[in-house]
Amino acid sequence: DGRTGLAVDRARLDALVRREVVEAFDRRNLNTECAAFRDDVPTSENLGLEIMRRLKRNWAAAFPGEGPRLEKVALAETARNRFQITADEIE
């Protein structure tokens, strides 16, 4: 945005992440309470993939037109255990 200098509308991004990620996974037993992990173990890698799928699937609705582009999702468990996936890796 030339006026604000922001790359993304933070309120829209926060709403998307809250709806698609936080509400789905926060304070849940991923092994038993999340449909996304009925067939997959909820490792950091698989969680990152599922987050990317959810964001990518809903990105255009949150940012219509020539809005920002979703490039990657990064997940950090600890300072030494990190996982990153790019949008191009997900169909």
Side-chain angles (χ1 to χ4, degrees):
D1 184 313
R3 185 178 54 80
T4 65
L6 295 173
V8 65
D9 181 328
R10 288 184 294 191
R12 286 184 187 190
L13 180 60
D14 286 347
L16 177 63
V17 171
R18 186 178 322 104
R19 184 180 68 245
E20 296 300 325
V21 179
V22 176
E23 290 176 6
F25 302 128
D26 189 40
R27 301 182 190 279
R28 303 271 194 284
N29 180 331
L30 300 181
N31 291 297
T32 61
E33 297 180 53
C34 297
F37 297 109
R38 284 196 181 121
D39 298 323
D40 293 318
V41 177
T43 62
S44 295
E45 292 86 352
N46 285 337
L47 182 58
L49 288 168
E50 182 60 24
I51 290 169
M52 176 57 84
R53 284 186 195 105
R54 288 167 171 269
L55 294 179
K56 192 170 182 178
R57 183 173 53 236
N58 295 284
W59 194 262
F63 300 101
E66 294 294 318
R69 188 173 85 92
L70 177 61
E71 291 185 12
K72 62 185 166 187
V73 166
L75 199 67
E77 273 187 88
T78 68
R80 299 180 75 190
N81 189 11
R82 298 171 184 265
F83 178 75
Q84 179 175 297
I85 184 154
T86 62
D88 297 336
E89 294 177 69
I90 299 293
E91 64 279 330

